Amino acid sequence: MFRTALRNVLAHKARLLMTVLAVMLGVAFVSGTLVFTNTISEAFQKSSAKGFGQVDVAVTAESQDDEGDRIGKTPELTQALLDRSAKVPGAGSAIGVVGGFTAIADKDGKLVGGGFQSQGGNYWGDKDPRYTLKEGTAPRGPGQIALDSETARRAGYEVGDTVRLSIDGPVLSPEITGIFTTDDGNVAAGGSLTLFDTATAQQLFGKTGTYDEIDVKAAAGTSQTALKAALDKALPKDLVETTTGKQLADDQAEAISASTSGLRQGLLVFAGIALFVGTFIIANTFTMLVAQRTKELALLRAVGASRRQVTRSVLIEAFVVGTVAGLTGLVAGVGIGAGMRSLMGSLGATVPDGPLVVSPGTVATALVVGVVITMLAAWLPGRRAAKIAPVAAMSSVHATASTKSLVLRNTIGALLSGAGVAVVLAATTMSGSDGQAPMGLGAALLVIGVFVLTPLLSRPLIAAASPVLRIFGVSGKLARQNSVRNPRRTAATASALMVGLTLITGMTVMAGSLQKSIDKMASTAIKADYVVSMANGNELSPDVEKKLSATDGVALTSPLRNAPARIDGQTEYVTGVTGSAIRELTDLTLDGGSFAVGGTKVVVDDDTATSHGWKAGSDFTVAYEDGEKQRLTVAGVYQGNEMIRGIILDNTALAPHQDDPTDMQVMVKTSGGASEATKDRLEKALGANPAIKVQSKQDLSDEIAQMFTLMLNMLYGLLAMAVIVAVLGVINTLAMSVFERSQEIGMLRAIGLDRRAVKRMVRLESLVIALFGGVLGIGLGVFFGWAAGELIGTSMPTYELVLPWARMAAFLALAAAVGVLAALWPARRAAGLNVLAAIKSE
């Protein structure tokens, strides 16, 4: 039986090629994902380990817990602590580290790096062991900086150039005196690193005379553990904590691994979708192969082969196919991993240098996935083959599906679909987090149920296309009949395309609806013409609001200033605003009371009011971060949203309790409304600062839309793999269908059907099957998009369903294109059959 199975594989090389390709693509996606994520994870881990090469023990400030109504404060690492650390037995040297966000502009005035990855720090002395100067000298004084070599290369800067940069205040224009190399993870990820001399860095980052961290290097012969013990003994335990360099590197490696695991899981989900689609093709292929070899299998049964041996021979074929697909998929996956890494570079992301990582686990996974998926998909056809009665099969009486089996299949499909719809509808009535798991379960049940019901659905849906197919005469009529001749095969082929289009449509519906709801939220919650904020989301200097309010054409301004406070024994954040202006800058819906912010009167969002049992007129006590208490009155309760929520009070009440007040953003209303000229005027008033964003409501909406568009494009690219696999399925089904119908096609040619009509027949059959899958996929996608939207709507009141009709039409056109393209080779093959040879074939 083993030799027979191998002979069958070799005898049907062309027929199994599409199956190998389908499995190979799925395996390639899986192994490519593992190679890519393992490669970047190891590259970043090695880079971060090098970055801690000069740190044997790091000393950081111990965060203080909240005590009573006082907000805990972090102690400072002073010069005295630095000197003490350097004199500890076993310490070779100690470096004070200070840093923070530093926005540096390129030669066009645009921000280099991305937000949080744009960092600044201090260069220690004349020769900092952490950084190797590639060109120039160390920075000295406030007018000099050193820049990392990658940023200098990307922005085209050289030693002697003047650059524009900002911390959180005015724009500075220092000179580049040095360019250095670094293993800093932020730079490796595409960010920038700007270094000042220590005194300048302390002043710019608000750390005058203090440090963020003290890095201690061990003397020769002293271990990191011994040095840590000595530091723990010498330094005050209640003020500082110590961590070895090895522990820091391990923690960083774990963090990197955790961050890449999310990417890995996301990519593997799409790989799983491609493999899921591929199982339809594999099952279809083996079903057709078994049907074509009915007499052969019956003969084996007649000469003594048992049912188990027949099933085993089919599984052996599947094992061979799966092994070949797994090996070729692994090779292709290595190429995909390398390509994804190069793609990251072309998109502007930087990955540290390092070899491609092909771990034993990746190799094993590729082979196991290829073999297991193929054998599972081939098991049912093999089992069916073993049940064929030898006499019936040898008499060419093919075992068609019995009425009992079809009734059972349709009953099971109806039950699964009904249960899926019921669970999804029930999930839409739950809150966001509670409904996620039930909705996922319901969606899975519904997709499986529709797949089981697809043979039943194929007849009425394909029959609906009859009026159009009649236009093509005999070819159209034959195409419709061929499409419904074997409903199970048609269903399996169409389902492969259905899965991909369901996901694509559902995600498109959700993204468009979310975008609309966020636009609505921005337009209803904000009356301000502009919102000014830091590029990295950090705090703004209060000077920004002062400069804006003094600019020509500015009518009203209000900073939004967050601060921790203690309320009812818990830490909560309050938002300080300009009470006299905030009503004109926002358009929040009140549930009760008035929007009167000033003195001790505050407004709170509905969720906060509910959690504390407050309503308009309620009083409560707040303890500010300096420990002072104040009695406040709830003037009104408003409906919070993702943009504005929480306790809003006047800055005149908040500011006296803040040592160093900063603003999260500033709202601006102008006399002439939003325009490009007004925006330019505001940006110039802030010194064309690369660290500060001036955004209108349209800019905010466009920024969010850009994020959704990027996300959708990435998802479309990933789901394209499933669509490609579906195309292979259509080609495979048509090619084998043409082979099965060789005699029939020969007879049609003999009685006058010309080659062009034969080609048209096969193409129309393919088009009908593809459109059938497309209609099902788009219908399910719209349903899932609506259901997910109902779930999102529980936490986003402005959510409303938006159906992207143009895109759905494009998806249907895509399905039609898939059908047309997939039919090219099978149609050519059918038209090229020799009439006499085809008539004589069995």
Side-chain angles (χ1 to χ4, degrees):
M1 295 303 294
F2 181 74
R3 288 196 299 271
T4 301
L6 290 180
R7 180 184 60 79
N8 284 327
V9 171
L10 295 175
H12 303 109
K13 293 188 288 289
R15 302 181 205 175
L16 291 171
L17 177 61
M18 293 298 176
T19 303
V20 171
L21 282 174
V23 182
M24 185 202 75
L25 281 173
V27 172
F29 205 165
V30 171
S31 54
T33 294
L34 294 174
V35 168
F36 171 66
T37 53
N38 288 341
T39 297
I40 62 171
S41 179
E42 184 167 309
F44 276 118
Q45 286 176 19
K46 286 183 176 179
S47 176
S48 66
K50 289 179 185 177
F52 291 115
Q54 296 298 322
V55 183
D56 285 318
V57 178
V59 180
T60 53
E62 177 75 38
S63 297
Q64 304 296 298
D65 295 330
D66 298 345
E67 298 179 5
D69 289 324
R70 181 178 289 275
I71 306 300
K73 290 190 179 240
T74 303
E76 297 178 333
L77 298 178
T78 62
Q79 183 65 38
L81 279 174
L82 173 64
D83 295 338
R84 212 153 148 203
S85 301
K87 294 176 182 177
V88 165
S93 62
I95 294 175
V97 179
V98 62
F101 173 68
T102 301
I104 182 168
D106 59 20
K107 292 185 176 181
D108 295 325
K110 303 297 183 183
L111 178 66
V112 176
F116 294 100
Q117 297 172 337
S118 300
Q119 296 294 314
N122 66 309
Y123 191 92
W124 190 258
D126 294 327
K127 190 174 182 182
D128 193 322
R130 299 170 298 170
Y131 311 109
T132 302
L133 279 174
K134 187 177 177 183
E135 300 176 41
T137 59
R140 297 174 184 273
Q144 297 184 353
I145 63 164
L147 191 62
D148 73 89
S149 56
E150 279 299 308
T151 301
R153 180 185 61 79
R154 291 200 306 269
Y157 284 129
E158 298 177 352
V159 171
D161 287 347
T162 298
V163 298
R164 290 169 54 80
L165 61 84
S166 174
I167 308 300
D168 62 355
V171 176
L172 306 175
S173 299
E175 177 189 352
I176 300 176
T177 62
I179 293 176
F180 61 91
T181 58
T182 178
D183 293 309
D184 186 277
N186 285 318
V187 175
S192 62
L193 181 59
T194 307
L195 299 180
F196 309 86
D197 69 271
T198 300
T200 301
Q202 288 176 321
Q203 180 184 356
L204 291 173
F205 297 119
K207 302 283 185 181
T208 305
T210 63
Y211 303 96
D212 295 320
E213 182 177 303
I214 297 172
D215 292 342
V216 186
K217 184 74 175 172
T222 303
S223 67
Q224 291 187 355
T225 307
L227 178 59
K228 181 182 184 302
L231 287 165
D232 287 339
K233 187 176 180 181
L235 301 178
K237 292 182 181 178
D238 59 333
L239 295 180
V240 301
E241 60 181 342
T242 58
T243 311
T244 63
K246 183 180 182 305
Q247 184 62 49
L248 288 172
D250 291 344
D251 291 345
Q252 181 107 347
E254 188 176 338
I256 290 168
S257 179
S259 65
T260 55
S261 70
L263 175 64
R264 180 187 292 116
Q265 289 170 7
L267 292 173
L268 286 175
V269 165
F270 291 100
I273 292 168
L275 285 168
F276 179 63
V277 172
T279 56
F280 297 138
I281 299 171
I282 301 164
N284 233 6
T285 301
F286 277 93
T287 298
M288 289 185 281
L289 287 175
V290 167
Q292 290 169 12
R293 288 163 41 209
T294 302
K295 283 189 176 182
E296 176 188 324
L297 294 173
L299 183 60
L300 288 174
R301 291 289 310 283
V303 298
S306 66
R307 288 186 176 185
R308 183 174 296 176
Q309 285 178 311
V310 170
T311 303
R312 193 183 302 151
S313 71
V314 175
L315 291 178
I316 290 171
E317 291 181 47
F319 176 81
V320 174
V321 171
T323 303
V324 172
L327 290 172
T328 53
L330 175 63
V331 174
V334 174
I336 289 174
M340 291 174 76
R341 178 173 171 171
S342 299
L343 180 63
M344 284 188 69
S346 65
L347 293 175
T350 305
V351 179
D353 291 333
L356 281 176
V357 178
V358 184
S359 66
T362 300
V363 176
T365 301
L367 292 175
V368 168
V369 167
V371 172
V372 170
I373 291 292
T374 308
M375 292 186 70
L376 283 176
W379 176 75
L380 190 59
R383 194 163 173 269
R384 284 180 187 157
K387 288 184 177 181
I388 298 174
V391 174
M394 292 182 74
S395 302
S396 296
V397 180
H398 291 262
T400 56
S402 64
T403 303
K404 180 180 177 181
S405 69
L406 288 174
V407 170
L408 179 63
R409 176 174 181 141
N410 293 338
T411 302
I412 293 173
L415 290 174
L416 287 172
S417 299
V421 171
V423 174
V424 169
L425 292 177
T428 60
T429 63
M430 302 178 184
S431 63
S433 56
D434 294 337
Q436 289 177 2
M439 184 163 291
L441 174 63
L445 288 173
L446 180 54
V447 168
I448 294 171
V450 170
F451 168 63
V452 175
L453 281 176
T454 307
L456 179 66
L457 298 172
S458 64
R459 289 186 178 276
L461 287 178
I462 292 175
S466 295
V468 178
L469 292 174
R470 287 197 191 102
I471 298 172
F472 300 94
V474 175
S475 296
K477 183 178 180 180
L478 290 172
R480 185 186 66 79
Q481 291 174 348
N482 291 333
S483 300
V484 296
R485 178 183 297 183
N486 192 329
R488 286 183 173 177
R489 183 187 303 170
T490 298
T493 307
S495 295
L497 192 58
M498 177 193 79
V499 172
L501 286 179
T502 296
L503 292 166
I504 290 173
T505 305
M507 289 173 181
T508 303
V509 169
M510 284 180 60
S513 302
L514 278 169
Q515 176 62 45
K516 178 78 172 180
S517 66
I518 291 169
D519 287 349
K520 189 176 178 181
M521 186 187 299
S523 61
T524 56
I526 299 175
K527 283 185 184 177
D529 295 318
Y530 293 97
V531 175
V532 179
S533 61
M534 289 287 283
N536 68 331
N538 279 1
E539 296 86 359
L540 286 163
S541 167
D543 291 337
V544 171
E545 194 266 338
K546 293 176 183 176
K547 289 180 180 179
L548 289 169
S549 61
T551 304
D552 291 340
V554 172
L556 290 171
T557 62
S558 174
L560 270 65
R561 185 173 298 170
N562 284 358
R566 300 281 289 180
I567 301 172
D568 295 337
Q570 296 181 341
T571 299
E572 292 197 27
Y573 278 83
V574 297
T575 302
V577 299
T578 301
S580 59
I582 193 65
R583 184 57 177 159
E584 298 300 319
L585 295 169
T586 59
D587 190 18
L588 299 170
T589 303
L590 281 173
D591 285 343
S594 62
F595 207 94
V597 178
T600 59
K601 290 185 176 181
V602 302
V603 293
V604 300
D605 69 291
D606 46 0
D607 289 340
T608 303
T610 302
S611 65
H612 288 282
W614 297 337
K615 59 183 179 179
S618 298
D619 293 328
F620 64 94
T621 301
V622 60
Y624 298 106
E625 55 187 321
D626 63 352
E628 294 292 326
K629 297 181 180 180
Q630 189 175 31
R631 194 75 177 163
L632 301 176
T633 301
V634 178
V637 177
Y638 67 91
Q639 294 179 10
N641 55 57
E642 295 300 318
M643 304 189 77
I644 301 175
R645 62 173 65 244
I647 302 169
I648 300 176
L649 74 163
D650 198 294
N651 275 325
T652 56
L654 178 62
H657 306 287
Q658 291 183 293
D659 294 335
D660 184 22
T662 54
D663 303 328
M664 289 303 297
Q665 54 185 224
V666 178
M667 290 185 174
V668 181
K669 190 171 185 63
T670 60
S671 55
S675 66
E676 283 300 318
T678 303
K679 184 177 179 179
D680 289 341
R681 189 162 61 249
L682 295 177
E683 289 177 341
K684 286 178 181 177
L686 298 174
N689 195 321
I692 299 176
K693 294 191 296 185
V694 179
Q695 294 177 295
S696 64
K697 286 188 284 188
Q698 187 60 48
D699 292 333
L700 289 170
S701 179
D702 291 344
E703 185 177 59
I704 295 168
Q706 188 176 11
M707 291 167 54
F708 280 124
T709 301
L710 178 63
M711 178 191 71
L712 274 180
N713 288 340
M714 289 176 63
L715 293 176
Y716 289 163
L718 293 169
L719 288 171
M721 184 70 73
V723 175
I724 291 172
V725 174
V727 171
L728 291 175
V730 178
I731 295 173
N732 207 15
T733 299
L734 290 173
M736 301 196 78
S737 178
V738 166
F739 177 83
E740 282 183 351
R741 300 189 336 244
S742 294
Q743 188 177 57
E744 175 188 320
I745 293 171
M747 290 295 295
L748 290 171
R749 290 288 313 281
I751 61 176
L753 196 69
D754 61 16
R755 290 187 175 184
R756 182 177 297 177
V758 170
K759 284 183 180 180
R760 188 183 304 124
M761 175 187 71
V762 176
R763 287 172 186 158
L764 289 173
E765 180 182 349
S766 175
L767 184 62
V768 166
I769 292 173
L771 287 175
F772 171 50
V775 169
L776 285 179
I778 292 171
L780 281 174
V782 169
F783 176 70
F784 290 141
W786 166 82
E790 290 295 302
L791 202 60
I792 294 169
T794 59
S795 58
M796 186 179 286
T798 57
Y799 185 89
E800 66 176 88
L801 180 67
V802 175
L803 294 180
W805 295 106
R807 290 208 176 190
M808 288 193 292
F811 296 154
L812 198 60
L814 172 66
V818 165
V820 172
L821 292 173
L824 291 178
W825 179 65
R828 185 182 180 87
R829 188 173 184 273
L833 288 174
N834 182 284
V835 176
L836 294 178
I839 291 174
K840 290 192 296 181
S841 67
E842 296 184 4

